[in-house]
Amino acid sequence: MSHSSKSFDRRDFLRATAGTTVALAAASVTGVAAATSAAAATGAPSIPKDRIGIQLYSIRDKVSALGFAVVLTELARIGYREIEFAGYTQNTSVLGRQITLPEIRRILDDNGLRAVGSHVGIGNLRSNLQGELDAAETLGMPHVGTANAPSNSNTVAGYLAAAEEFNTWGAAATARGLKLYQHNHAGEFAFATDQPSVRLYDVFLKNTDPRHVYLELDIYWAYVGQYRYPGFDPAAYVRNQPYRYPLFHMKDGDTNPSNANGYDIVEFGAGDLPYERFIRDIGPRAAHVGIWEQDTAPGTLPDPPGSLGAAQRSYTALKGLLG
């Protein structure tokens, strides 16, 4: 959606989306009915149903065009409670200038939302670590992280050097009462080019200090990693070190053998990733905030609601899964 229409204000937007998102939400419930029964049979899962979050990258088009005030209000209406940022900017035409961090914090507070984390570039951690920690404190978020791979060098030496770097950044975050985390894609589960029997993710996990470096498991990309680089169970990483995984990305995938990744990214509840089994297998030893993400949500039709329609339907499916 373009921001060229000045007349499409907050009330217009909410009127346009409210009926559509609710009507469309019902379609995704069927896909998680079995998962809901499984969760009920095994007790409450370790992903709290009252803390469902969203990575704002999923609705980046709406954040840019409509601004944080409109978007965060709508997310609170849907039921989301935790917000993970993917930048702190919106189109300057929304306010006639760029929004400030204190203004974003005020919008969060006014809507009963909490900033749970933020994806920043790994270069920012190298060049402006204290500034990123300042931003986290201003927004009231307990975690700050990066979605970049630890290293561009897929060697044991490259990942050892990265682990040392993350330990330094993590200690600085800990000193300010924050937790530094790294978010995986599929490539971290590849084998080292110089030692083909060694999985890169294992090097990073073993050599980062659990007191200072945490992980956000993107469940979709972990299963893609399993497909492309077999020999591990995504749930086992969490089960073995549950307190190192405060955050999950709850992204769904649908099996597609013609896709090199093995799966297509789809709305939550529309895919066939084994979420009910994953939740059972990680065990009950820690609580993990489940954050919905769908890289492909912008462009969802009809628009409006567009990506916010995907957010509504995915929230309903997640709520059903977590029971």
Side-chain angles (χ1 to χ4, degrees):
M1 174 181 176
S2 169
H3 192 70
S4 59
S5 175
K6 295 281 188 178
S7 63
F8 193 60
D9 65 11
R10 177 179 177 276
R11 283 178 295 179
D12 293 331
F13 172 73
L14 294 179
R15 279 198 299 270
T17 61
T20 308
T21 55
V22 171
L24 293 174
S28 65
V29 176
T30 304
V32 294
T36 304
S37 300
T42 57
S46 60
I47 307 170
K49 66 180 179 180
D50 59 349
R51 293 189 63 190
I52 296 173
I54 181 172
Q55 164 52 253
L56 293 184
Y57 182 74
S58 306
I59 53 170
R60 55 197 180 273
D61 57 326
K62 301 304 185 190
V63 173
S64 176
L66 300 174
F68 286 103
V70 169
V71 168
L72 293 180
T73 299
E74 174 65 359
L75 293 177
R77 183 200 69 77
I78 290 171
Y80 288 101
R81 289 294 172 260
E82 310 275 354
I83 303 297
E84 185 180 36
F85 285 85
Y88 310 123
T89 61
Q90 60 188 27
N91 194 305
T92 54
S93 64
V94 176
L95 295 176
R97 57 173 173 79
Q98 192 50 259
I99 195 168
T100 67
L101 290 174
E103 287 172 330
I104 296 174
R105 174 64 184 272
R106 198 153 48 244
I107 296 167
L108 290 167
D109 293 345
D110 288 348
N111 285 283
L113 299 171
R114 184 173 84 139
V116 71
S118 182
H119 284 185
V120 303
I122 201 167
N124 293 50
L125 298 178
R126 290 194 180 104
S127 64
N128 188 33
L129 177 62
Q130 293 303 323
E132 294 296 348
L133 300 180
D134 289 342
E137 287 188 346
T138 298
L139 292 171
M141 67 176 67
H143 311 93
V144 62
T146 183
N148 293 133
S151 174
N152 290 327
S153 173
N154 287 347
T155 63
V156 170
Y159 267 64
L160 286 173
E164 184 176 346
E165 198 170 33
F166 270 80
N167 285 336
T168 299
W169 300 334
T174 300
R176 296 182 59 171
L178 302 168
K179 292 181 178 180
L180 174 77
Y181 64 94
Q182 193 271 337
H183 165 284
N184 66 276
H185 291 86
E188 288 90 323
F189 297 101
F191 295 97
T193 55
D194 56 340
Q195 297 186 43
S197 65
V198 176
R199 197 178 299 276
L200 294 168
Y201 194 78
D202 295 343
V203 174
F204 186 72
L205 194 64
K206 181 178 178 180
N207 291 281
T208 45
D209 189 331
R211 299 172 301 171
H212 302 311
V213 180
Y214 297 84
L215 292 306
E216 177 179 61
L217 189 73
D218 186 302
I219 298 169
Y220 168 86
W221 286 116
Y223 277 102
V224 171
Q226 183 189 62
Y227 176 84
R228 294 177 58 184
Y229 315 106
F232 72 95
D233 174 14
Y237 283 112
V238 181
R239 187 170 62 247
N240 292 337
Q241 298 192 55
Y243 299 102
R244 294 197 73 182
Y245 291 89
L247 308 174
F248 289 153
H249 268 195
M250 310 286 283
K251 180 185 303 177
D252 209 352
D254 196 42
T255 299
N256 180 4
S258 66
N259 185 328
N261 289 327
Y263 304 91
D264 295 327
I265 296 173
V266 295
E267 291 181 10
F268 201 90
D272 56 10
L273 285 184
Y275 268 95
E276 63 271 24
R277 187 178 74 210
F278 174 87
I279 292 172
R280 181 187 67 237
D281 289 353
I282 62 176
R285 291 170 50 209
H288 318 273
V289 177
I291 300 170
W292 172 69
E293 184 184 45
Q294 184 187 336
D295 306 32
T296 58
T300 298
L301 297 175
D303 186 6
S307 58
L308 278 166
Q312 169 77 74
R313 294 187 293 274
S314 294
Y315 175 84
T316 300
L318 271 166
K319 192 78 170 178
L321 171 67
L322 300 177

